[in-house]
Amino acid sequence: MIRVLYAGSPEPSSKTLALLAENAAPAGFEIAGVLTNPPSAQGRHKELVPTPVAVFAQEHKIPLFTPEHLDPGCRSQISAVNPDILVCFAYGHIFGPKFLQLFRFGGINLHPSLLPKYRGCTPVNAAILNMDRETGISVQIIAQGMDEGDILAQEIVNLTGSETAGSLLDYSAAHGATLLCGVLAFCGKNGALPEGKTQTGTASYTKIITKENGRINWSRTAAEIDAQIRAYTPEPGCWTTEKDTPLRILSAHPSDSPELSVPPGTVVSFDKKQGILIQTGRGLLAVTMLQRQAKKALDAAAFMNGAKDFIGTVLK
């Protein structure tokens, strides 16, 4: 039975870890240890909060490693649990050759895109933002170049145009776990990884997302703004300004109602079935959930009950 060191940090990664742990024995492997980021300071009181992956490891009494750096001391500690292979999903750090030498089968990485498209840290967001009709999930060999390793398994994911980054990451976490189990089962049975396939096609790279990426430019089309909102849900979220005050737009969809000859960003009406209708550069956007600064999130109807003068406002 091969021994796996799992590396990851955010909530979707913990879901993949949970599924791997659940299916480990039938697939012929075991989770020997978990590598994740150190606890981070969160909230007003800056309390140290462990990553979701760390929480799962602690609850299931799996050896846990939370180093700041993958230095010699860290490598020595990890070597002590005798791992055979590194499995990574959203750990967020580069593995150097000395670290990868700890594993006789090397390392494999779960990446939620159809590599080589959307290499880098935000592939799910990019697929939604670009309104792609399909994306994918890839299991690849960890190489020194960013997401350049050979492909061991890959699955196409058809997109409906209603996905958020959160829902698509959850899907990738679950289906990616199935792909990983298949690769690990093959490795345990044959004593080697499956033969990898060299990536083909034009590579593209994604970038780190900041809060400013979530600012809405109302001159863009309703479809583009809808994609932006979904691509940045749940993080970092999309926002605009109402009389110079931030206003978060939490969910919306393009409306088929006739657009008006008013400046983009103008709140034109409220429709009980569709939501708050806002003029864009092309088409109306129907906003269904929004949130004023320091206030709770409200659906469109509840928001309008307390914002009688909102119609006619020009959002910037």
Side-chain angles (χ1 to χ4, degrees):
M1 183 170 288
I2 61 174
R3 294 172 59 79
V4 170
L5 179 76
Y6 183 86
S9 292
E11 184 64 32
S13 186
S14 73
K15 294 178 181 179
T16 299
L17 173 58
L19 289 169
L20 288 179
E22 181 182 338
N23 294 282
F29 66 90
E30 60 183 326
I31 307 297
V34 166
L35 174 66
T36 189
N37 287 325
S40 59
Q42 297 181 19
R44 291 178 59 187
H45 302 291
K46 301 299 181 182
E47 295 181 1
L48 291 179
V49 179
T51 70
V53 165
V55 171
F56 180 89
Q58 291 167 336
E59 290 176 347
H60 293 80
K61 296 178 171 56
I62 301 172
L64 178 64
F65 306 95
T66 60
E68 290 282 355
H69 306 285
L70 303 179
D71 55 22
C74 167
R75 297 198 297 270
S76 176
Q77 291 176 346
I78 288 174
S79 178
V81 301
N82 300 311
D84 296 307
I85 189 169
L86 171 67
V87 175
C88 177
F89 177 34
Y91 175 52
H93 299 277
I94 295 174
F95 301 108
K98 290 182 180 180
F99 187 81
L100 291 174
Q101 286 173 2
L102 297 175
F103 312 94
R104 63 182 175 123
F105 297 121
I108 60 176
N109 178 56
L110 177 63
H111 189 79
S113 83
L114 285 177
L115 289 171
K117 192 172 186 179
Y118 300 142
R119 290 173 175 168
C121 58
T122 55
V124 164
N125 313 79
I128 296 174
L129 192 64
N130 293 331
M131 296 183 278
D132 292 348
R133 294 186 176 182
E134 66 177 24
T135 185
I137 309 167
S138 303
V139 177
Q140 60 171 159
I141 294 174
I142 295 176
Q144 289 307 297
M146 182 184 292
D147 297 324
E148 293 180 3
D150 289 352
I151 303 297
L152 302 175
Q154 196 168 62
E155 176 184 311
I156 294 174
V157 178
N158 293 316
L159 299 179
T160 65
S162 62
E163 297 85 1
T164 66
S167 68
L168 188 51
L169 267 175
D170 285 344
Y171 180 93
S172 299
H175 286 256
T178 301
L179 292 182
L180 286 169
C181 280
V183 171
L184 292 169
F186 181 97
C187 186
K189 182 178 180 180
N190 297 279
L193 290 172
E195 184 177 355
K197 295 182 180 179
T198 303
Q199 296 184 30
T200 58
T202 303
S204 62
Y205 293 85
T206 61
K207 298 180 180 179
I208 294 174
I209 296 170
T210 67
K211 180 182 177 180
E212 190 60 30
N213 292 124
R215 181 159 194 166
I216 295 172
N217 177 356
W218 293 103
S219 295
R220 302 183 73 189
T221 70
E224 289 171 335
I225 296 172
D226 166 56
Q228 180 187 13
I229 294 167
R230 292 185 293 106
Y232 298 149
T233 298
E235 294 294 339
C238 281
W239 58 282
T240 184
T241 57
E242 173 197 4
K243 300 176 182 177
D244 297 325
T245 302
L247 175 68
R248 296 190 69 190
I249 307 297
L250 303 177
S251 64
H253 58 86
S255 169
D256 56 6
S257 297
E259 58 183 322
L260 304 180
S261 297
V262 294
T266 301
V267 181
V268 299
S269 65
F270 169 64
D271 183 284
K272 291 183 179 180
K273 292 184 178 180
Q274 296 187 76
I276 300 168
L277 301 183
I278 303 174
Q279 181 65 50
T280 72
R282 186 170 73 240
L284 295 176
L285 185 75
V287 174
T288 54
M289 186 75 65
L290 61 173
Q291 183 179 18
R292 280 179 167 150
Q293 190 174 36
K295 302 291 185 180
K296 66 178 182 179
L298 297 172
D299 63 34
F303 182 90
M304 291 303 298
N305 283 338
K308 300 299 184 181
D309 60 345
F310 194 54
I311 304 300
T313 300
V314 181
L315 305 176
K316 301 292 186 179

